[in-house]
Amino acid sequence: MAEKGLVVVIGATGPLGKECVLALESEGYRVRAASRRVETAREMLLHKVKNPSRVDFVHVDVMEKSVLSSVLKDAEVVFFCASASAGWRVPGTSKNTPKQVDYLGAIHVAEAAAQAKVKRLILVSSAMVTNRSSFPYLFLNSAFGRIMHWKRQGEIGVIKVHEKNPEMAYTIVRPGHLINEPAKGPKSVIVDQGDRISWRVTRADVAKVCCACLKVENTMNATFEIAGRKETESQSNLPETYEALLATVKPDKKPEST
Ligand SMILES: NC(=O)c1ccc[n+]([C@@H]2O[C@H](COP(=O)([O-])OP(=O)(O)OC[C@H]3O[C@@H](n4cnc5c(N)ncnc54)[C@H](OP(=O)(O)O)[C@@H]3O)[C@@H](O)[C@H]2O)c1
C-alpha cells in the first residue's frame, strides 16, 4: 500500500486514541502517536501495528504550548483524542482538569496546528454536549468536573480558530457511550447531526469513522454524532462502508456562541 501523509494522534495512550493509531496505520497513514506516556504508548501499540516503521512516538502534554509545534511538524492531519475524563477530583487539587485539557488543550492544539499548516483537525467531543437537560449531560457534568460544559467550549474554541484560519478544516466527532469491543462495522452504527442520539458504540468503530472522515469531503467543517444502532432500528439500506455512512453529513452553519 502506498504510504499516505502524516497524522498526529494526541492522546494515543487513551483507549480511543490507541484505536485511532491502529486504524490509521492499517490504512497506510504514517502516524505520530503523541502522549504523556511515551514508553507506555510504545509498549501498547508497537506490536499491534502492521508496519512499525510507519509509527513514531513523541511526548505531548496539551497544556504545554511550547512543545506543540514540534509535535505537529510535517503533519497533514491531527486527531485530538485527549481528555481529562479521569473522574471527580477535589477542586484545586489537579491541574489536569476538563477546563485545562478538553477546552484550553483543544484550543492550544488547534492554534498550533493552524500555525504548522496542518490541513485538518479531528476533535473527539461527546454526544449530548449541547443537550443540557439530558441524563448524560447532567450525570457526566457533575461527576467529571463539568466535562460536558468544557467539551462544548472546546468545540466552540476550535471552530473559532478555524474561522481565523479557514485553510485548516475541522471535524467534530461526538460519540455516544464508548465501549471496548471489536469493531462491529458500518452497518452497526448511526451518524446523525443535531445532538439527538447517544447510544453505546465501540471505540474501534469510532476510530474507523474518524479515519473515514479523511476521505469524505463533506465532513470538513462539520459536527456529527455517532452511536451504535439499536437492534430494533430499521435494518434496510444500511451503508456498506464507513465512508458511505458519512455521505449525509453536512457542514455546520455558524455555531452557537454558548
Ligand atoms: N468514555 C466514554 O464513554 C465517552 C463518551 C463520549 C465521548 N468520550 C470522549 O471520547 C474521547 C476518548 O475517550 P476515551 O474514554 O477513549 O479516552 P480517555 O480515557 O478519556 O483518555 C484520554 C487520554 O487523554 C490523555 N490525556 C489526559 N490529559 C492529557 C494532557 N494534558 N495532555 C495530553 N494527553 C492527555 C490521557 O493519556 P495519558 O494519561 O497517557 O496522557 C488519556 O488516556 C474523550 O474526549 C472522551 O471525553 C468518551
Side-chain angles (χ1 to χ4, degrees):
M1 186 188 298
E3 204 162 79
K4 298 177 183 167
L6 175 65
V7 183
V8 176
V9 177
I10 308 255
T13 39
L16 177 64
K18 182 184 79 178
E19 293 294 341
C20 287
V21 172
L22 297 175
L24 287 159
E25 193 275 338
S26 74
E27 290 263 326
Y29 291 94
R30 285 192 296 129
V31 188
R32 184 168 294 151
S35 128
R36 292 182 303 176
R37 294 178 296 146
V38 179
E39 277 319 307
T40 305
R42 211 188 298 275
E43 278 162 28
M44 267 181 172
L45 288 160
L46 213 46
H47 65 285
K48 291 197 170 167
V49 297
K50 289 183 188 159
N51 181 350
S53 71
R54 280 205 288 254
V55 186
D56 71 316
F57 295 87
V58 298
H59 179 268
V60 75
D61 183 325
V62 297
M63 290 186 270
E64 290 168 12
K65 277 172 145 183
S66 57
V67 300
L68 291 173
S69 63
S70 66
V71 169
L72 294 167
K73 191 169 183 301
D74 300 327
E76 287 185 8
V77 181
V78 57
F79 281 27
F80 188 96
C81 301
S83 175
S85 54
W88 190 87
R89 67 251 318 142
V90 177
T93 58
S94 169
K95 288 189 183 140
N96 213 56
T97 60
K99 181 178 179 182
Q100 296 295 334
V101 179
D102 300 74
Y103 168 49
L104 295 172
I107 295 174
H108 293 164
V109 169
E111 286 174 343
Q115 212 163 25
K117 308 272 180 249
V118 173
K119 294 193 195 100
R120 285 200 72 174
L121 165 62
I122 310 285
L123 174 73
V124 179
S125 179
S126 174
M128 298 286 140
V129 278
T130 63
N131 200 333
R132 293 184 210 173
S133 56
S134 65
F135 174 75
Y137 187 102
L138 293 168
F139 170 70
L140 294 167
N141 220 38
S142 44
F144 293 91
R146 298 186 76 208
I147 193 162
M148 299 295 261
H149 168 78
W150 291 118
K151 286 186 100 59
R152 177 63 182 144
Q153 296 310 305
E155 292 184 352
I156 293 169
V158 162
I159 293 170
K160 285 186 176 156
V161 174
H162 155 76
E163 284 170 349
K164 287 191 199 141
N165 303 275
E167 61 288 351
M168 183 185 72
Y170 72 88
T171 305
I172 296 171
V173 180
R174 294 172 170 165
H177 178 61
L178 293 171
I179 55 171
N180 290 328
E181 284 179 17
K184 294 177 193 256
K187 293 185 181 184
S188 73
V189 287
I190 297 181
V191 160
D192 189 37
Q193 290 179 285
D195 214 2
R196 302 177 298 187
I197 60 166
S198 176
W199 187 247
R200 58 179 182 268
V201 59
T202 75
R203 287 181 170 87
D205 281 306
V206 174
K208 285 172 190 281
V209 166
C210 290
C211 257
C213 286
L214 305 186
K215 296 189 203 150
V216 182
E217 207 169 318
N218 50 290
T219 63
M220 285 164 73
N221 307 323
T223 302
F224 64 85
E225 292 76 49
I226 167 167
R229 183 179 292 279
K230 294 181 191 167
E231 277 165 22
T232 49
E233 279 162 339
S234 163
Q235 300 290 318
S236 59
N237 296 327
L238 298 182
E240 298 287 340
T241 63
Y242 291 99
E243 288 78 13
L245 183 69
L246 294 168
T248 55
V249 171
K250 293 190 173 52
D252 294 337
K253 300 190 186 103
K254 221 173 157 38
E256 305 145 38
S257 57
T258 57

